Amino acid sequence: MEQIAFRMQLNDAQSREYRKRHDDIWPELVDLLKQAGVSDYSIFLHEQSNSLFAVLRRTADHTMDTLPLEPIMQNWWAHMADIMKTNDNNEPIVEPLERMFYMA
């Protein structure tokens, strides 16, 4: 299992809505992520900057690179596009984070 982390950006005053939408995450999206090899996925908020910090684990044979082609993923991005910074295709702008320390 590989662990990765990345940062995304919420629009101002959208943290409550972001949490609500994730509390009601679509079961078919969760299934898709699991099928792609994603597990142990957490997203944290830094309130002062509206930054989201995500950490997940993925299998060595993950298929995360194909997720943007999936209609469920595209629909979720469209559902979230009004409350966060996105690319033109509604995909969240993601900044990979470099691991600086790990303790097992």
Side-chain angles (χ1 to χ4, degrees):
M1 277 284 178
E2 174 189 28
Q3 185 181 50
I4 64 167
F6 50 94
R7 187 179 86 84
M8 299 174 287
Q9 189 66 42
L10 272 181
N11 294 335
D12 290 341
Q14 295 298 325
S15 61
R16 184 174 296 185
E17 183 63 23
Y18 187 88
R19 181 184 301 271
K20 180 185 177 305
R21 292 183 192 186
H22 279 78
D23 286 347
D24 297 330
I25 195 168
W26 304 338
E28 59 271 24
L29 177 58
V30 173
D31 290 343
L32 179 67
L33 291 170
K34 288 180 179 180
Q35 290 168 14
V38 174
S39 64
D40 196 18
Y41 190 174
S42 297
I43 302 172
F44 300 88
L45 172 67
H46 183 261
E47 282 190 65
Q48 291 83 354
S49 65
N50 287 317
S51 291
L52 298 166
F53 297 89
V55 179
L56 62 82
R57 293 187 185 279
R58 62 186 184 187
T59 58
D61 61 345
H62 72 87
T63 57
M64 283 183 65
D65 296 342
T66 65
L67 288 174
L69 305 175
E70 296 290 339
I72 296 168
M73 185 94 282
Q74 294 169 10
N75 291 339
W76 179 257
W77 290 341
H79 178 61
M80 300 299 290
D82 64 320
I83 63 170
M84 61 191 309
K85 306 292 183 208
T86 64
N87 293 305
D88 291 340
N89 66 351
N90 292 330
E91 182 177 1
I93 296 172
V94 171
E95 298 175 48
L97 297 173
E98 179 182 351
R99 179 181 296 193
M100 300 299 290
F101 173 76
Y102 176 73
M103 186 183 88

